[in-house]
Amino acid sequence: MSKLSIAVAISIILFIFSCQKKEEAPLLAQHVVEEIIPVDSSLITIPFSLELNPVSEAYAFEKERQVSEFYSKKIGLSDFSGGLLVAKNGKIIFEDYKGYANFANKTAVSETTALHLASVSKVMTATLVLKLVQENKIDLNEKVQTYLPDFPYQNTTVKTLLNHRSGLPHYSRFSESVKGWNSRKTLTNADVLDYLKRYKFALLAKNDTKFNYCNTNYAMLALIIEKVTEKSYAEAMQEQIFTPLGMNDTFVIDFEKQKKDVSQSYKSNYVNHGWDQFDAIYGDKNVYSTPRDLVKFDLATYSTEFLRKDLWEEALKGYSYEKRGVKNYGLGIRLREWETGQTLHYHNGWWHGNTSSYTTLKKDTIVIIALSNKYTQKTYQAMKLSALFGDYPFELNDKE
């Protein structure tokens, strides 16, 4: 075959192939349509296994109407500063925010505004202790002196700190027994332990004989956490609870560095409450969080992947039955146990102008959260919403 014939044949073959339809690659900036999966912005989740059923839209709509009616009359009035959130199985039923985190510069309270939890912080401190029990770093029945050798009361255990049966005196009243008390000194957790060691104040009751709610217990638990983890309380909380649960707006205040930047606390007349010498003590308080982050925490209480079932059961049962009544206390959580069989778990808080209420209905998988940074007792009205979700003996229309 001549060279000319070969060239012609190759040209014909190339022409035939060039005429065949080919799938073209998109240009670099060409938009490619992808399937968009809708995201339910009202559903809060955590990266731990849960066995909770979806909430129907009809149920959510009806309960939202009922909660909204109560909220508008009892809590969310013109002078309220804070937020209320009600959720079932992570699904937000109702959510609203009012007021200001800082009234001076008009920084509005929103779903991402971290407010001081006051004593609701104890729920998280107790949970961290239980996680350290799970890791075999703490024994609930071990003497406190095992972890804090300078602690002067030999019979006190980790458990009696958790359930407020230690009989320890309140650190806010040390000044009554110490001559020349310096009221200008900002106290730390280490200072509280040092005062206990130096003065060995009389116990209010023998260990494990009587319930006596006391912030000193949780200040000591924070020191135990630091001792066994070799980290600060704030770091341990962040690594063990906040980060794993995706509580991105939650933190423990670094008092000296952050006190001017966090949400401020106000008296009922809108005057900034200011700070005092006990504000740097943590474990009993000093966690700042949002209602949405607290829903994440509450979801974790249904997960045995996050914490063993037997440890949740230890936390949620009552320990103080020396007096008759419906009120009791577990490990970092309050209980109401009615003779009719209902049990409600909750914790309230009050520190300066901050008030808080965390109610968790375990049988009904409901959580009710109310936070405020301007002093009010309206926050505590939120617990009554339990009556909308189960057979709990609260009156929604009473005058309290």
Side-chain angles (χ1 to χ4, degrees):
M1 181 180 293
S2 67
K3 292 182 180 180
L4 178 60
S5 299
I6 294 174
V8 171
I10 292 174
S11 298
I12 293 171
I13 292 171
L14 291 174
F15 175 77
I16 293 172
F17 275 100
S18 67
C19 291
Q20 293 181 354
K21 184 177 182 180
K22 295 189 294 183
E23 182 177 350
E24 294 182 355
L27 297 175
L28 183 62
Q30 181 176 334
H31 176 67
V32 178
V33 179
E34 296 180 355
E35 181 183 1
I36 299 176
I37 301 174
V39 176
D40 184 354
S41 60
S42 67
L43 183 63
I44 296 173
T45 61
I46 59 172
F48 291 89
S49 60
L50 295 167
E51 296 182 1
L52 299 173
N53 297 322
V55 177
S56 71
E57 290 300 325
Y59 176 92
F61 179 81
E62 176 59 18
K63 294 303 180 183
E64 189 276 336
R65 182 190 66 77
Q66 295 173 333
V67 174
S68 179
E69 181 180 355
F70 178 86
Y71 174 73
S72 63
K73 293 178 180 179
K74 300 289 187 177
I75 300 175
L77 304 178
S78 60
D79 62 340
F80 180 67
S81 180
L84 174 74
L85 190 153
V86 179
K88 179 177 176 64
N89 300 353
K91 172 76 172 180
I92 297 175
I93 302 296
F94 178 88
E95 182 181 32
D96 191 59
Y97 302 92
K98 295 182 182 299
Y100 299 97
N102 188 313
F103 279 83
N105 60 24
K106 301 301 181 183
T107 302
V109 174
S110 72
E111 69 272 11
T112 59
T113 302
L115 300 178
H116 196 302
L117 296 187
S119 284
V120 173
S121 303
K122 291 181 175 71
V123 185
M124 297 187 191
T125 299
T127 301
L128 179 49
V129 170
L130 292 174
K131 286 186 71 67
L132 294 171
V133 170
Q134 181 169 263
E135 296 175 6
N136 297 315
K137 293 181 179 180
I138 291 178
D139 185 329
L140 287 176
N141 297 308
E142 189 61 77
K143 301 294 176 60
V144 173
Q145 287 182 339
T146 301
Y147 307 103
L148 305 175
D150 289 339
F151 185 79
Y153 308 101
Q154 61 181 6
N155 294 323
T156 311
T157 67
V158 174
K159 183 177 286 186
T160 57
L161 293 180
L162 284 166
N163 60 23
H164 293 291
R165 296 179 61 82
S166 68
L168 289 180
H170 299 248
Y171 64 66
S172 60
R173 303 190 68 174
F174 286 179
S175 60
E176 298 173 9
S177 303
V178 178
K179 292 183 178 180
W181 179 266
N182 183 1
S183 61
R184 294 184 179 182
K185 175 181 170 61
T186 300
L187 298 183
T188 65
N189 291 55
D191 290 326
V192 175
L193 177 57
D194 185 59
Y195 275 112
L196 292 174
K197 174 187 175 183
R198 287 165 57 193
Y199 293 93
K200 198 172 183 180
F201 307 106
L203 293 174
L204 302 179
K206 290 183 179 180
N207 183 68
D208 205 20
T209 62
K210 182 179 179 181
F211 174 77
N212 179 58
Y213 185 86
C214 178
N215 286 342
T216 308
N217 292 317
Y218 278 71
M220 293 301 97
L221 286 168
L223 291 179
I224 292 173
I225 289 169
E226 293 182 330
K227 183 67 175 291
V228 302
T229 62
E230 298 182 337
K231 296 175 181 176
S232 71
Y233 170 79
E235 291 171 334
M237 289 288 283
Q238 190 68 49
E239 293 181 14
Q240 292 268 15
I241 296 181
F242 304 157
T243 296
L245 294 178
M247 298 172 68
N248 298 325
D249 296 311
T250 303
F251 59 92
V252 178
I253 184 176
D254 184 325
F255 179 66
E256 294 299 338
K257 293 181 180 180
Q258 296 178 303
K259 61 183 178 181
K260 294 181 180 179
D261 301 321
V262 296
S263 62
Q264 299 298 296
S265 166
Y266 296 89
K267 299 178 182 180
S268 59
N269 62 358
Y270 297 91
V271 173
N272 192 309
H273 197 289
W275 308 92
D276 67 26
Q277 70 177 135
F278 305 116
D279 277 306
I281 300 171
Y282 46 79
D284 58 324
K285 58 184 184 305
N286 278 11
V287 174
Y288 282 69
S289 189
T290 67
R292 287 195 174 208
D293 274 4
L294 287 179
V295 173
K296 293 179 180 180
F297 173 81
D298 187 70
L299 285 172
T301 67
Y302 297 97
S303 173
T304 55
E305 182 184 355
F306 183 73
L307 187 69
R308 291 198 322 255
K309 181 180 178 181
D310 62 300
L311 292 175
W312 283 130
E313 291 173 347
E314 281 285 304
L316 295 173
K317 70 181 184 181
Y319 289 87
S320 298
Y321 292 97
E322 57 271 7
K323 290 184 178 180
R324 295 185 62 182
V326 300
K327 295 182 180 181
N328 215 306
Y329 203 92
L331 304 182
I333 194 75
R334 290 185 181 272
L335 291 81
R336 293 202 183 180
E337 301 173 299
W338 289 277
E339 292 182 354
T340 48
Q342 305 98 322
T343 299
L344 178 146
H345 295 86
Y346 71 104
H347 214 299
N348 291 336
W350 171 27
W351 188 255
H352 299 330
N354 306 292
T355 55
S356 55
S357 179
Y358 164 67
T359 303
T360 178
L361 310 179
K362 294 307 175 192
K363 184 179 70 173
D364 309 288
T365 58
I366 292 286
V367 63
I368 303 165
I369 300 156
L371 305 177
S372 177
N373 66 323
K374 187 180 80 66
Y375 181 76
T376 179
Q377 293 195 20
K378 295 183 181 72
T379 313
Y380 309 132
Q381 295 284 318
M383 184 190 296
K384 295 178 181 178
L385 288 166
S386 304
L388 296 175
F389 302 97
D391 187 20
Y392 301 98
F394 293 111
E395 293 292 334
L396 293 176
N397 296 317
D398 61 19
K399 295 181 180 180
E400 291 185 13

